[in-house]
Amino acid sequence: MASTMQQQKKRKGEDLDNIKPEKKTRAQGRPSRTRRGPSPDAKDEPSSTSPVATQAQQPTPVTDVQPDAASPREPEGSPPVKKLADKKWTAWSKHANSSPYPGFLRPTPEECQTAHDILEELHGDVVRETFADPDAPSQEYPYVMDALVVAALSQATSWANAKRAMKNMKVVYGSTFNYDAIVDGGMDKLVDALRPGGMQNRKTKILMQLLKDVKKRHGKWDLQYLFNASDEEAVKEVMSYWGLGPKCAFCLLSICLKRDTFAVDAHIYRISGLWGWRPSEATREMAQAHLDARIPNQIKFALHYQLI
C-alpha cells in the first residue's frame, strides 16, 4: 500500500521519504470539533427554518404521519421491523468495542498515519474545498435529526450525488429539513425531489418511514437526547429504523455527536481490501468494526473523508 502511494507521489516529482509526520492532536483534521453537543448559538437562537426550533416555539400534538400506500413499512416478505432491528443490533453489538478479527493486525497505527499524511498532501485541499461548499454536507449539525437525514440520504452513494439531492430538496421544499412540507407533499413529490441524486425510490421510502417512526416514537422530529447518550445507545437508536444500518449510525456519531468512529462506505471497503487492511472475506459491516478498532482515534474523521 505504501509503495503504491509512493509511486503516486514520485509521479508528482516528490520524494515521500522526506515526509516527516508532525505530532497530531486528538482533533487532527477535524476543525472545531471539541464540543459535545449543539453550539450555544444554535441552542439560544434556533434557526427559524429548523423543524426542531419551530416545534419548540409552537408545540404541536403528536400525529401519526402516514406514508403513501405505495410505500410499505418494509419490503413485502421481509421480517417485522422489530425483529430486523434486533437482528441488526445483535450482529453489531458483538464487536462494538473490538475487532471481529483479533488476529488480523493490519492496518498498524504507523500505516494509518502514513496513509493520512500522504492523502493529506494529495487531496487535503480538495476535502477542505468540499466542506467549504455551501451546498455540501456540513461539519456542524446542531440538530441530530437533520444530521441523521443527511446520513440516510448519503447511504450507498457519493457525496456529489447526496449534495445534488439535498440541493434540489432546498428548491422543492425551501429546506432539506422542512419535514412538515416533505410529509405533506407525499411520496411522489419526494421521489422527484431526490431524483437528481439517484436511488430516489428507495431513499424516499427510507426518509418517509424515518420521519413517521421518529415522530411516533418521540412525539416530534427531535433526537437531541442522543448528544448525551452512549455510542452504543446512539447506534441502537439509529439501527432501529428501517433501512438504516451501522454505517449510517457511525456517520451520525462522527459528523454530529463528535465521537471518534470510522464509517466504511463502498469506496473505503474496496480500498481497504486492495491495501490488505481487512480480511478478504470480511463483509462491509465486519470491515467497519475491524477498521474502527484498528485506526487511531485522532485521524479517523480526516482519514474517512480523504478516502472517499
Side-chain angles (χ1 to χ4, degrees):
M1 180 276 298
S3 174
T4 301
M5 291 183 177
Q6 289 173 348
Q7 291 175 5
Q8 292 177 333
K9 292 290 289 183
K10 287 178 180 178
R11 286 198 296 268
K12 291 177 174 286
E14 300 180 32
D15 185 359
L16 290 179
D17 294 333
N18 293 328
I19 296 177
K20 296 181 179 180
E22 299 177 357
K23 292 184 178 180
K24 310 294 181 180
T25 64
R26 184 174 179 80
Q28 176 187 34
R30 187 195 293 247
S32 302
R33 296 181 63 81
T34 56
R35 290 184 294 103
R36 175 170 172 156
S39 65
D41 292 340
K43 184 176 181 180
D44 295 337
E45 299 180 8
S47 169
S48 60
T49 61
S50 167
V52 177
T54 301
Q55 292 179 4
Q57 297 167 3
Q58 300 177 346
T60 57
V62 178
T63 58
D64 190 11
V65 182
Q66 295 294 336
D68 188 276
S71 174
R73 182 174 178 81
E74 70 261 22
E76 185 178 353
S78 67
V81 170
K82 180 65 167 60
K83 289 185 178 180
L84 182 59
D86 290 344
K87 183 178 180 180
K88 289 190 296 182
W89 167 251
T90 299
W92 178 83
S93 60
K94 288 180 180 178
H95 307 290
N97 299 302
S98 62
S99 169
Y101 308 103
F104 195 92
L105 303 181
R106 296 192 66 199
T108 65
E110 293 75 19
E111 285 180 311
C112 296
Q113 188 65 59
T114 298
H116 169 275
D117 294 343
I118 293 174
L119 291 172
E120 171 61 27
E121 287 203 24
L122 289 172
H123 309 302
D125 291 341
V126 176
V127 173
R128 283 183 285 276
E129 287 174 5
T130 297
F131 279 114
D133 184 346
D135 293 321
S138 174
Q139 288 193 76
E140 299 292 333
Y141 288 96
Y143 299 108
V144 181
M145 185 68 201
D146 295 354
L148 184 56
V149 167
V150 171
L153 293 176
S154 63
Q155 286 190 123
T157 191
S158 65
W159 278 116
N161 285 337
K163 182 172 67 174
R164 280 191 284 268
M166 289 185 283
K167 185 176 182 180
N168 199 47
M169 288 179 72
K170 291 181 182 179
V171 174
V172 175
Y173 299 110
S175 168
T176 304
F177 312 120
N178 190 351
Y179 303 134
D180 285 306
I182 292 171
V183 171
D184 292 343
M187 298 289 290
D188 291 342
K189 186 174 182 178
L190 183 55
V191 167
D192 288 338
L194 295 177
R195 195 178 303 279
M199 299 181 66
Q200 61 272 10
N201 292 326
R202 176 168 176 79
K203 290 185 183 295
T204 292
K205 292 180 180 181
I206 291 174
L207 182 53
M208 279 295 197
Q209 194 63 52
L210 174 64
L211 293 177
K212 172 186 175 180
D213 289 345
V214 170
K215 194 165 188 179
K216 185 175 183 179
R217 184 181 302 178
H218 298 286
K220 54 185 176 179
W221 291 303
D222 186 348
L223 296 172
Q224 295 299 86
Y225 87 95
L226 291 179
F227 274 117
N228 297 316
S230 68
D231 290 358
E232 289 77 10
E233 290 169 336
V235 170
K236 190 171 187 178
E237 172 79 21
V238 173
M239 291 201 302
S240 69
Y241 298 112
W242 181 74
L244 305 185
K247 185 261 182 179
C248 188
F250 270 33
C251 285
L252 178 71
L253 287 171
S254 179
I255 67 173
C256 180
L257 304 184
K258 314 304 182 196
R259 314 295 174 82
D260 293 316
T261 56
F262 189 79
V264 172
D265 66 358
H267 306 291
I268 295 176
Y269 179 74
R270 178 176 56 83
I271 293 171
S272 62
L274 292 173
W275 288 356
W277 280 19
R278 61 167 173 82
S280 59
E281 71 275 12
T283 64
R284 190 183 303 179
E285 289 76 16
M286 291 297 99
Q288 177 169 288
H290 175 70
L291 293 174
D292 187 58
R294 298 292 305 175
I295 296 174
N297 282 340
Q298 65 268 24
I299 60 174
K300 283 179 178 177
F301 181 83
L303 187 57
H304 170 84
Y305 285 100
Q306 289 167 346
L307 288 171
I308 65 173

